[in-house]
Amino acid sequence: MNEVGDLHLATVVVNVTDLDRAAAFWTAALGYQAKEIPSDPAPVHLDLYTSERDRHVERLLELGATEPDDWPYPDDHDFIVLLDPDGNEFCVIQHDQ
């Protein structure tokens, strides 16, 4: 099996100045249901979706990603927040097909 498997890029957030406004627009435009939206967006944020979240988190950590300290996960989270080698946040999200 290919190491990447079904891991795929699903969301890219770049330089959003009003996150609430952007989230409201794009969720309505694309018919999405909004999840918890952070109030302080990073300049770049990627969401990666996979049916094998934990395997990919381990693989990405081996490739040089790190975990942020004390991330405030909600109780029902389906994502893990990681940092790339430059410190940019990205999420690996469990997404069963």
Side-chain angles (χ1 to χ4, degrees), residues 15-63:
N15 200 18
V16 174
T17 57
D18 184 337
L19 187 60
D20 291 332
R21 181 181 64 200
F25 173 80
W26 286 110
T27 55
L30 299 172
Y32 290 168
Q33 182 176 3
K35 292 194 174 195
E36 183 176 328
I37 308 276
S39 60
D40 56 345
V44 175
H45 180 95
L46 304 177
D47 285 343
L48 306 176
Y49 283 72
T50 179
S51 62
E52 299 180 89
R53 182 194 68 196
D54 295 339
R55 181 178 77 81
H56 284 293
V57 166
E58 183 177 321
R59 188 176 70 82
L60 293 163
L61 289 169
E62 289 173 2
L63 290 171

Side-chain angles (χ1 to χ4, degrees), residues 1-8 48-61 78-80 82 90-97:
M1 182 172 116
N2 180 332
E3 284 186 14
V4 176
D6 70 347
L7 183 70
H8 62 279
L48 306 176
Y49 283 72
T50 179
S51 62
E52 299 180 89
R53 182 194 68 196
D54 295 339
R55 181 178 77 81
H56 284 293
V57 166
E58 183 177 321
R59 188 176 70 82
L60 293 163
L61 289 169
D78 59 354
F79 64 95
I80 301 293
L82 298 176
F90 65 100
C91 291
V92 182
I93 302 171
Q94 181 68 31
H95 181 71
D96 297 319
Q97 297 192 16

